[in-house]
Amino acid sequence: MELAVRAAAASCSSYPLFQRARVPRRSPGLPQLPARRVAVAAAIAVDPIQDIKPEQNDVSKTEVFACPVCYEPLIRKGPPGMNLSAIYRSGFKCLKCNKSYTSKDIFLDLTVTSGAKEYSELKPARTELFRSPLVSFLYERGWRQNFNRSGFPGRDEEFQMAQDYFQSVAGGILVDVSCGSGLFARKFATSGAYSSVIALDFSENMLRQCYDYIKQDDTPLNTNLALVRADISRLPFASCSIDAIHAGAAIHCWPSPSNAVAEISRVLRPGGIFVGTTFLSSPTNSGPFSAGALRPLRQIVGPVNSSYNFFTEGELEDLCKSCGLVNYSSKVQRSFIMFSGQKP
């Protein structure tokens, strides 16, 4: 782990963040879509970017996005901007892997398996659960509200608590990882506190729900908010390119929290802030092995009452520090914890 952290830190000074290259021309306008996507395409097309000059569509430019395979910066072909319409009408390509990425399905798919026709990859049950259309539909319609029984303060208060942590990086790029249906990503986007907000999740259906909520609530389609599908353990961003990362009620669902936090540390800029919330370990959610002396037995018997990973505050602090984050702090309310670390 120490070597990985050193490599990530070294990459901050040497990573080729800026380079320009040409990619093949693409016909302007929306791509051909099946009938079920025509309505979506029309809704996005109405958005916004009326004042873009035609010649701008032919300009290749480097974005914050990076190839999830080799981490080389992706070259963008299309209109500038981080809003849904601009991303939708753009193509992204890795010149090293010669792999292309598009947002033909509302969100920009930057998973390693993007574009694969035969191969599909299943994650642990706790991850696959949230790819379910039913769970995605119910998440903001009763599921998330039940968290208050464990001490979660609620959306508005949690948002303000996170904003307090993010004060030092105001005006930068924020990524809401494991964003779910965009419960917090939408608030970050409309707050005006960030130059861009990226709502990132592995679940296709959660991202679709996020888009539906954007159309329904007061989040304008031309807000600097992008929807991205990606793996938390393979973040599609250049090293040292992100100012703030938020993970609301997420870390207990991740297949490998250590890999995920190491990735978060890699992509944060020096001074960047990571804020997460989760449920603290307790006999209720972790069974008889929640006590300190017995916790090592989890490695042998695995989770007892659920497939989720719940941690003590000490474990969360140790995890953040082992991944190179400093200035750890936390706020606890019953089983709820909001914790934060900073990239040195």
Side-chain angles (χ1 to χ4, degrees):
M1 176 62 74
E2 182 179 354
L3 292 177
V5 172
R6 288 179 179 175
S11 66
C12 293
S13 59
S14 60
Y15 203 91
L17 288 177
F18 300 100
Q19 54 177 284
R20 291 178 178 271
R22 286 279 180 185
V23 294
R25 282 182 178 270
R26 190 170 72 91
S27 299
L30 295 173
Q32 293 297 317
L33 295 172
R36 65 190 178 89
R37 294 292 177 207
V38 170
V40 172
I44 295 180
V46 175
D47 170 327
I49 312 190
Q50 303 295 332
D51 57 343
I52 290 179
K53 298 179 181 179
E55 59 268 23
Q56 287 180 301
N57 288 334
D58 295 327
V59 176
S60 300
K61 57 185 297 185
T62 305
E63 299 289 327
V64 67
F65 299 123
C67 174
V69 177
C70 67
Y71 293 137
E72 285 293 310
L74 293 180
I75 304 303
R76 176 172 175 172
K77 180 81 168 182
M82 281 293 272
N83 60 69
L84 291 172
S85 177
I87 297 292
Y88 184 91
R89 294 160 57 196
S90 297
F92 296 83
K93 186 171 184 177
C94 175
L95 296 185
K96 183 175 181 179
C97 297
N98 198 35
K99 184 171 181 176
S100 297
Y101 302 89
T102 64
S103 55
K104 63 181 181 180
D105 196 15
I106 300 174
F107 51 83
L108 176 60
D109 191 342
L110 293 180
T111 57
V112 170
T113 57
S114 175
K117 296 180 180 179
E118 300 293 335
Y119 179 81
S120 61
E121 189 169 68
L122 293 179
K123 297 289 185 179
R126 59 182 175 270
T127 300
E128 289 297 317
L129 175 67
F130 293 97
R131 298 179 72 184
S132 160
L134 178 60
V135 173
S136 301
F137 179 82
L138 293 176
Y139 190 74
E140 284 191 48
R141 297 176 173 90
W143 183 299
R144 186 51 161 76
Q145 288 81 344
N146 286 326
F147 290 8
N148 60 9
R149 299 177 181 175
S150 298
F152 277 68
R155 180 191 183 191
D156 291 340
E157 187 173 343
E158 290 172 50
F159 169 74
Q160 189 54 56
M161 290 169 65
Q163 287 286 75
D164 292 342
Y165 277 118
F166 288 140
Q167 284 183 6
S168 63
V169 291
I173 299 172
L174 180 144
V175 181
D176 187 21
V177 298
S178 297
C179 68
S181 55
L183 185 71
F184 292 100
R186 304 193 309 270
K187 288 185 73 69
F188 286 127
T190 55
S191 71
Y194 309 96
S195 59
S196 301
V197 174
I198 299 171
L200 182 149
D201 205 286
F202 188 74
S203 169
E204 306 92 325
N205 285 304
M206 281 294 192
L207 292 169
R208 292 180 185 121
Q209 279 295 316
C210 182
Y211 176 74
D212 287 342
Y213 281 121
I214 289 172
K215 292 191 298 181
Q216 295 170 16
D217 65 19
D218 57 355
T219 309
L221 285 172
N222 62 345
T223 300
N224 283 341
L225 173 63
L227 305 184
V228 173
R229 180 174 184 245
D231 189 335
I232 186 62
S233 295
R234 199 80 184 172
L235 292 175
F237 306 111
S239 296
C240 306
S241 62
I242 304 299
D243 299 281
I245 293 182
H246 174 262
I251 192 172
H252 54 275
C253 301
W254 294 345
S256 175
S258 60
N259 285 349
V261 178
E263 270 292 87
I264 287 171
S265 179
R266 178 185 68 81
V267 304
L268 280 175
R269 297 182 191 273
I273 303 293
F274 167 49
V275 173
T277 61
T278 188
F279 300 88
L280 287 173
S281 174
S282 69
T284 303
N285 60 32
S286 300
F289 304 109
S290 61
L294 299 178
R295 289 186 70 77
L297 293 178
R298 294 178 307 164
Q299 301 294 330
I300 301 174
V301 300
V304 176
N305 292 342
S306 76
S307 60
Y308 300 111
N309 284 319
F310 298 106
F311 304 96
T312 65
E313 183 176 2
E315 287 175 322
L316 291 171
E317 180 176 3
D318 197 30
L319 174 59
C320 289
K321 289 181 177 179
S322 69
C323 290
L325 300 178
V326 298
N327 298 330
Y328 177 88
S329 65
S330 65
K331 298 175 182 177
V332 176
Q333 181 173 304
R334 301 204 302 275
S335 293
F336 163 82
I337 181 172
M338 175 175 283
F339 61 96
S340 175
Q342 185 174 33
K343 178 74 168 285

